[in-house]
Amino acid sequence: MTEKLVLHEYAVSGNCYKVRLTAALLKLPLERREYDIMKGETRTPDFLSKVNANGRIPVLQVGNRFIPESNAACYYLAAGSGLIPTDRFDDADMLRWMFWEQYNHEPNIATLRFWMGWVGPDNLTDAQRLQVPAKREAGNAALKLMEEHLSARDWFVAGHMTLADICLFAYTHVADDADFGLADYPHVTSWIDRVRNQPNFVPMDA
Ligand SMILES: N[C@@H](CCC(=O)N[C@@H](CS)C(=O)NCC(=O)O)C(=O)O
């Protein structure tokens, strides 16, 4: 990779951590630029016009071009590496889990983690408070599906670690921050340990 890589991020976000973890596992140098989303720093006219019109991080900057969406950024970094299966079916299956993460997992587990840990249970709007039980149920359904899948295999696809594992690891390993009770999912917790034991692994707070 010849162009400079810059990650526009909020470090405690799991979506941002996915990108850092992918870069670390592949030993790719990544410059980091922090924004405080609690102060609206990704909603300024400058950020919206230059970095991401969608007003969110992470955004991976490659030279003078920008890739918003965490899983797309991971996919860019991992192109041609062992983190993306060469088999066409396995590649699509990996993407299946990454899309599933964004639709069934992150909107429930990550959102509850943010509401409980950053917004605070007492500061939720009425609309947010009403959504908590459904998000908890959907988050547990996602963890149950992962538990069943991992009861028969060590990794999500292809028999080895891929981006599917990295993208799902990001918010799963901190699901207890939102009181999801990971101890109820023993195959998921073993898989979390397997990810942590990979060479060049970096924790979220590094
Ligand atoms: N689907 C996006 C989600 C990005 C997202 O929701 N980012 C949050 C932090 S995790 C954010 O920037 N929030 C600030 C805001 O919306 O103003 C991804 O995977 O990158």
Side-chain angles (χ1 to χ4, degrees):
M1 220 159 302
T2 52
E3 289 177 287
K4 181 170 147 180
L5 300 169
V6 180
L7 180 63
H8 300 260
E9 67 167 344
Y10 181 57
V12 291
S13 146
N15 284 322
C16 299
Y17 172 52
K18 286 171 196 176
V19 185
R20 293 200 305 277
L21 180 54
T22 304
L25 292 170
L26 296 171
K27 294 189 179 174
L28 297 172
L30 196 59
E31 191 176 303
R32 297 168 61 174
R33 211 159 291 169
E34 179 79 2
Y35 298 79
D36 189 344
I37 61 171
M38 304 307 287
K39 293 185 180 153
E41 288 179 2
T42 61
R43 299 285 168 165
T44 63
D46 201 50
F47 186 93
L48 293 171
S49 64
K50 293 192 185 136
V51 182
N52 183 7
N54 198 29
R56 289 180 170 85
I57 43 78
V59 177
L60 179 66
Q61 182 176 351
V62 182
N64 57 11
R65 295 180 295 171
F66 297 86
I67 307 175
E69 294 299 326
S70 56
N71 293 356
C74 292
Y75 198 77
Y76 176 86
L77 291 177
S81 81
L83 292 175
I84 296 181
T86 47
D87 177 82
R88 186 173 173 175
F89 184 92
D90 287 343
D91 185 25
D93 204 22
M94 178 193 78
L95 290 173
R96 176 266 285 227
W97 282 108
M98 291 161 71
F99 293 131
W100 179 82
E101 185 264 347
Q102 285 285 292
Y103 191 78
N104 291 77
H105 185 291
E106 192 260 15
N108 301 307
I109 295 174
T111 300
L112 280 189
R113 174 175 177 259
F114 182 67
W115 286 356
M116 298 306 147
W118 278 259
V119 180
D122 296 335
N123 302 321
L124 298 180
T125 63
D126 289 344
Q128 288 170 334
R129 197 166 292 115
L130 279 174
Q131 292 178 61
V132 169
K135 286 196 177 288
R136 185 157 302 286
E137 190 180 336
N140 274 309
L143 291 170
K144 183 167 175 282
L145 194 143
M146 291 172 68
E147 177 70 11
E148 282 163 11
H149 190 72
L150 290 168
S151 69
R153 48 187 72 71
D154 283 352
W155 303 102
F156 273 86
V157 301
H160 61 84
M161 189 184 189
T162 68
L163 290 183
D165 300 285
I166 295 173
C167 294
L168 281 164
F169 177 81
Y171 282 110
T172 304
H173 85 293
V174 289
D176 279 345
D177 290 355
D179 298 325
F180 272 101
L182 280 175
D184 294 340
Y185 303 97
H187 292 102
V188 171
T189 50
S190 300
W191 164 80
I192 286 173
D193 289 342
R194 269 194 293 287
V195 174
R196 283 201 173 111
N197 286 327
Q198 289 303 295
N200 305 317
F201 173 87
V202 286
M204 195 177 214
D205 58 6

